């Protein structure tokens, strides 16, 4: 196969980029390892900036009824509420994050991209090697992939690694990077939505050194992320499922019955290895990295999908312009370097904010817990400070303006 651009990875970054390139009459092939879009425990939290971008890209209308708005964020520490943020206080066109199941988002992106003749999606296609000029040292000229029907070759002027936090293309390229493990991992599970909760609030529950994220999930469940020490899964499993159930008892007693009925084996959970990745150079001749492949972030404040979509809409016009001007290797490399220059500071700010939150969550003991609660209460007491802190995560792209009323509706998650 031959295309101007080959995108490896059919997640939010890869499919958004492919859609935007196809709109610009760029021929693009997307290689996706999975044979379907039904991904479990993948990023479903879409930040307000990305909601705004999806609206501008014409995707929100395709997704009507598939997502739920989040109107509040609530942090409870030691049994008392220490911070409650109301997203309606933010004067932006789209002030609310949404919870959007990733299969619905990916299907909408693929459908929109497929309306343009230059777009090709090959699922069940696993990248196994990079094509290069002049052996292993020359520019990347495409990808070899394994499919159920045998190996295929895609030759392209530009290859884009959008294959996530464990990027194979990044490894194959030889681009240096630093993987920074954090002090904890996260156990994910999905439970029926409790009748006591409203369906429009992010909840963070902290008790000592334990904390959990409780995220309403469209249409009728709640995703739960529980912190464990780095590499602590084996020890937790050795304690038995009762240890997991009891942790829910301490953090969210509203879910005590549901976790015992729903989580009856460890296969009902998923473990996420928490780390961040710093890549000094996001591109090389013939190749550019985007999304988690370029800058792995943590689950805090749902920034993975947000930066993936922003990356894609930033890179697409740069690549489109380079290709319209001839699209030689040097022009495309300059496009990749400009993409990194535009995006790197935003990623750095999000990473720094996430790491500060991770350190706060990890504080334990009498004085550590007291300091954390005091800090959250200071932020809670000042709307100006709240807006300043959250704007760094959620409003890096939008500019203040009137709320788009037709999108601001109270979408409560149905009760279990």
């Amino acid at each position: 196969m031959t295309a101007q651009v080959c995108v490896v990875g059919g997640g939010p970054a890869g499919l958004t980029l492919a859609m935007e390139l196809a709109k610009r009459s760029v021929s693009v092939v997307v290689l996706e390892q999975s044979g379907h879009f039904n991904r479990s425990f993948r990023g479903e939290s879409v930040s307000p900036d990305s909601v705004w971008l999806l609206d501008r890209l014409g995707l929100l209308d395709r997704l009507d009824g598939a997502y739920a708005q989040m109107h509040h964020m609530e942090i409870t520490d030691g049994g008392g509420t220490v911070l409650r943020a109301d997203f309606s206080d933010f004067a932006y066109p789209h002030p609310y994050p949404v919870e959007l199941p990733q299969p619905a988002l990916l299907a909408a992106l693929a459908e929109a991209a497929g309306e343009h003749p230059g777009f090709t999606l090959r699922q069940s296609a696993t990248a196994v090697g990079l094509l290069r000029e002049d052996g292993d040292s020359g520019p990347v000229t495409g990808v070899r992939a394994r499919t159920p029907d045998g190996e295929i070759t895609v030759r392209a002027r530009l290859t884009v690694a959008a294959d996530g936090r464990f990027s194979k293309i990044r490894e194959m390229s030889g681009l240096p990077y630093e993987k920074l493990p954090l002090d904890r991992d996260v156990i994910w599970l999905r439970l029926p939505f409790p009748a006591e909760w409203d369906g429009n609030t992010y909840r963070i529950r902290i008790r000592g050194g334990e904390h959990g994220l409780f995220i309403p999930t469209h249409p009728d469940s709640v995703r739960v992320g529980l912190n464990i020490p780095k590499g602590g899964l084996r020890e937790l499993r050795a304690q038995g499922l009762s240890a997991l159930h009891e942790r829910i008892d301490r953090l969210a007693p509203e879910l005590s019955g549901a976790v015992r009925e729903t989580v009856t084996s460890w296969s009902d959970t998923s473990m996420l290895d928490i780390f961040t990745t710093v890549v000094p150079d996001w591109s090389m001749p013939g190749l550019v990295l985007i999304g988690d492949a370029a800058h792995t972030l943590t689950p805090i404040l749902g920034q993975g999908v947000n930066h993936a979509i922003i990356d894609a809409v930033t890179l697409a016009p740069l690549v489109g312009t380079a290709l319209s001007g001839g699209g030689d290797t040097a022009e495309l490399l300059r496009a990749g370097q400009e993409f990194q220059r535009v995006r790197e500071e935003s990623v750095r700010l999000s990473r720094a904010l996430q790491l500060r939150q991770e350190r706060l969550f990890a504080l334990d003991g009498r004085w550590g817990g007291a300091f954390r609660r005091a800090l959250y209460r200071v932020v809670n007491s000042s709307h100006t400070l709240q807006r300043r802190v959250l704007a760094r995560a959620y409003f890096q792209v939008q500019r203040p303006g009137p709320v788009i009323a037709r999108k601001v509706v109270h979408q409560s998650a149905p009760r279990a």
Side-chain angles (χ1 to χ4, degrees):
M1 303 176 67
T2 301
Q4 290 172 290
V5 177
C6 177
V7 178
V8 180
L15 284 176
T16 303
L17 176 65
M19 179 187 71
E20 286 298 282
L21 289 174
K23 285 180 181 177
R24 291 169 168 80
S25 300
V26 173
S27 61
V28 55
V29 171
V30 178
L31 302 177
E32 166 53 37
Q33 179 173 304
S34 175
H36 53 76
F37 293 137
N38 295 326
R39 302 171 171 205
S40 298
F41 299 108
R42 298 296 183 93
E44 299 188 5
S45 300
V46 181
S47 293
D49 274 348
S50 287
V51 178
W52 178 72
L53 285 171
L54 290 174
D55 195 23
R56 288 170 60 90
L57 297 175
L59 268 293
L60 272 194
D61 287 338
R62 295 176 186 260
L63 292 164
D64 272 350
Y67 62 86
Q69 291 177 339
M70 296 295 108
H71 292 180
H72 304 98
M73 178 187 295
E74 178 184 275
I75 300 179
T76 303
D77 194 340
T81 299
V82 292
L83 189 150
R84 183 171 175 85
D86 186 339
F87 292 113
S88 66
D89 289 341
F90 293 85
Y92 293 89
H94 286 281
Y96 300 112
V98 305
E99 287 303 306
L100 170 61
Q102 200 163 111
L105 173 60
L106 299 183
L109 287 167
E111 179 185 48
E115 294 171 358
H116 303 276
F119 170 79
T120 301
L121 171 63
R122 288 296 300 266
Q123 294 180 293
S124 301
T126 302
V128 295
L130 293 175
L131 306 178
R132 291 182 182 267
E133 288 182 2
D134 305 321
D136 292 338
S137 60
V140 174
T141 58
V143 178
R144 291 186 297 109
R146 183 177 61 250
T147 77
D149 300 320
E151 188 169 289
I152 63 172
T153 296
V154 182
R155 300 190 179 276
R157 296 188 193 181
L158 180 68
T159 298
V160 179
D163 52 341
R165 60 207 307 265
F166 298 107
S167 173
K168 294 180 181 178
I169 299 299
R170 184 181 61 208
E171 294 290 339
M172 294 174 190
S173 75
L175 284 169
Y177 67 93
E178 184 179 10
K179 180 179 175 180
L180 305 173
L182 274 66
D183 293 334
R184 67 181 189 103
D185 293 326
V186 172
I187 295 287
W188 285 108
L189 47 142
R190 192 183 298 263
L191 300 174
F193 199 87
E196 298 94 325
W197 290 356
D198 72 86
N200 304 95
T201 299
Y202 288 134
R203 291 172 175 82
I204 301 170
R205 299 281 181 90
I206 309 171
R207 190 170 290 275
E210 296 180 347
H211 72 267
L213 310 176
F214 301 87
I215 304 171
T217 302
H218 190 76
D220 57 5
S221 60
V222 55
R223 292 198 319 285
V224 180
L226 301 175
N227 74 303
I228 61 173
K230 174 63 71 177
L233 182 60
R234 179 178 297 178
E235 180 181 349
L236 181 64
R237 285 190 169 189
Q239 297 171 27
L241 274 175
S242 61
L244 182 69
H245 296 162
E246 289 163 7
R247 182 168 293 201
I248 291 289
D249 294 343
R250 291 190 292 273
L251 291 171
E254 304 95 326
L255 297 171
S256 291
V259 72
R260 286 168 172 80
E261 293 175 7
T262 305
V263 181
T264 58
S265 74
W266 289 106
S267 63
D268 297 319
T269 69
S270 178
M271 200 279 286
L272 180 64
D273 179 15
I274 302 296
F275 61 86
T276 185
T277 303
V278 178
V279 185
D281 296 306
W282 298 358
S283 58
M284 61 188 298
L287 175 70
V288 63
L289 315 181
I290 69 171
D292 274 350
H295 44 69
T296 307
L297 297 171
T298 80
I300 295 296
L301 297 171
Q303 290 299 291
V305 174
N306 188 41
H307 281 284
I309 292 173
I310 297 173
D311 275 4
V313 299
T314 303
L315 181 60
L318 295 170
V319 170
T321 299
L323 288 170
S324 67
D328 64 22
T329 301
E331 287 179 292
L332 288 166
L333 179 59
R334 285 193 291 272
Q337 292 169 338
E338 176 64 8
F339 160 65
Q340 180 174 350
R341 187 194 68 79
V342 171
R343 293 287 300 127
E344 199 164 29
E345 178 63 11
S346 175
V347 171
R348 186 192 67 79
L349 290 172
S350 290
R351 180 184 289 115
L353 178 60
Q354 287 185 329
L355 292 177
R356 285 196 295 272
Q357 290 300 312
E358 294 280 0
R359 286 192 289 269
L360 276 177
F361 288 162
L363 290 175
D364 198 3
R366 178 181 177 185
W367 297 111
F371 172 77
R372 179 180 58 224
R373 288 189 290 273
L375 185 59
Y376 280 133
R377 287 187 177 114
V378 168
V379 175
N380 192 57
S381 67
S382 168
H383 288 297
T384 300
L385 191 55
Q386 265 193 37
R387 287 193 290 268
R388 183 181 301 172
V389 170
L390 289 176
R392 291 175 180 173
Y394 289 142
F395 303 103
Q396 295 185 12
V397 176
Q398 292 184 76
R399 294 294 176 264
V403 169
I404 299 176
R406 68 185 180 90
K407 297 301 179 187
V408 182
V409 294
H410 192 81
Q411 292 179 300
S412 295
R415 299 295 184 257

